[in-house]
Amino acid sequence: MNSDKNSAYKFLTGMESFIAKNLPSRKEIVEMIPRIVTQAKKREDWKHKRTPEDAFLYHFAFPLVFQYIKQQPGMDKKSACQVLLSEFYRNMPQFSAGTPARKGKHPFGKIMREPTFKTIARWRGETEGALLKQSCPDFALRAPFPHTVVFEGKYFRHGQAQAAATSLVTDIYQAFFYRALPKEQSTKTHAEWNYDYACLFAYDGSDTMSLIETWQTLHQEVKRGFWDGANIYVMIFG
């Protein structure tokens, strides 16, 4: 399915506005996340909230994403649940009906900073662990929703300009990586892998707002290029 790009952009800008408007205050999110993580480590039903990133995504953001999808033309509770995929779908059956994991494995990882000697050693079978990688983004929107989008979620809490720059480049690359993987047919256990767009879905909880400041320093041509040339939409909340 090829989505109309202008409509997709309007949909994603609408999602960004809706979530920004409905998230709790920055102070509340930053203060609550450590408590949520601590509680989640003691609760079996909160397995999907045991890291700061997952606590932000699945305690605060994902229910809002679901609400926004549910409000789209032709959508209701049931259909929104069917098109919205999450790696923690078993923990949130009211919001998601399946995993966004890609069935096929491949030789590449999404991490930019893996030294080449480690990569070649893995390819040669000289290290412990799997030879091939399986991709599993945080969440995704699949057909029959008109805009198919794979989302990479992040929570940036500490660090000044250099750490924020590293995080921003790495995180946008990871969204690009998922978008670039080739199409795969659906199976009984995996949804079709066929996404028109990718989205970095990040929250800046740092004291200095370093991630947002770094994003704002990028040249406008580069910002436009993420969408125009790579089908990547960047959302940074906070």
Side-chain angles (χ1 to χ4, degrees):
M1 175 184 294
N2 290 318
S3 166
D4 175 75
K5 198 163 182 176
N6 290 332
S7 297
Y9 187 80
K10 184 178 179 182
F11 164 75
L12 288 166
T13 55
M15 175 186 285
E16 183 175 17
S17 297
F18 178 84
I19 291 170
K21 180 181 177 182
N22 289 284
L23 280 173
S25 71
R26 183 175 181 278
K27 182 176 184 293
E28 184 177 348
I29 288 176
V30 170
E31 289 180 354
M32 282 186 64
I33 281 179
R35 299 177 206 160
I36 293 167
V37 170
T38 299
Q39 292 177 36
K41 290 175 180 178
K42 303 172 185 176
R43 292 181 54 169
E44 284 298 307
D45 59 333
W46 275 21
K47 285 182 179 179
H48 54 310
K49 303 179 185 181
R50 290 180 176 174
T51 68
E53 178 181 296
D54 289 340
F56 163 66
L57 285 177
Y58 299 113
H59 191 88
F60 295 108
F62 201 73
L64 295 176
V65 172
F66 177 81
Q67 284 184 42
Y68 181 71
I69 302 303
K70 188 178 68 172
Q71 294 172 8
Q72 300 307 299
M75 289 284 112
D76 56 21
K77 245 189 209 182
K78 184 177 180 180
S79 56
C81 185
Q82 289 298 315
V83 299
L84 193 53
L85 305 174
S86 168
E87 62 175 332
F88 289 111
Y89 73 98
R90 290 186 179 90
N91 303 90
M92 304 179 297
Q94 73 275 33
F95 297 137
S96 175
T99 177
R102 186 175 184 270
K103 183 178 185 298
K105 297 181 180 181
H106 50 80
F108 302 100
K110 69 175 184 176
I111 304 299
M112 292 178 66
R113 297 189 295 273
E114 182 180 58
T116 54
F117 73 88
K118 287 189 176 181
T119 302
I120 197 70
R122 175 169 57 83
W123 289 357
R124 287 170 173 161
E126 297 171 352
T127 58
E128 293 183 4
L131 293 169
L132 300 174
K133 302 282 188 177
Q134 183 176 31
S135 292
C136 185
D138 293 294
F139 60 101
L141 268 172
R142 64 170 169 179
F145 195 76
H147 314 300
T148 55
V149 189
V150 60
F151 291 83
E152 177 67 1
K154 296 294 180 183
Y155 179 72
F156 182 79
R157 182 65 184 98
H158 298 291
Q160 301 295 324
Q162 186 56 52
T166 300
S167 182
L168 184 67
V169 173
T170 302
D171 298 346
I172 294 175
Y173 169 79
Q174 290 178 9
F176 172 80
F177 175 84
Y178 284 137
R179 167 65 182 81
L181 287 170
K183 177 181 176 180
E184 274 200 341
Q185 297 293 327
S186 63
T187 68
K188 289 182 179 180
T189 56
H190 292 77
E192 180 185 32
W193 186 277
N194 185 22
Y195 297 104
D196 290 320
Y197 310 101
C199 178
L200 171 61
F201 191 99
Y203 193 90
D204 186 352
S206 66
D207 295 336
T208 54
M209 305 295 287
S210 302
L211 191 65
I212 288 175
E213 280 196 6
T214 301
W215 170 248
Q216 291 172 343
T217 65
L218 300 193
H219 196 288
Q220 286 300 320
E221 186 175 347
V222 173
K223 288 185 176 180
R224 288 195 301 271
F226 287 126
W227 180 254
D228 293 342
N231 284 17
I232 297 171
Y233 190 95
V234 177
M235 294 186 196
I236 305 178
F237 302 100

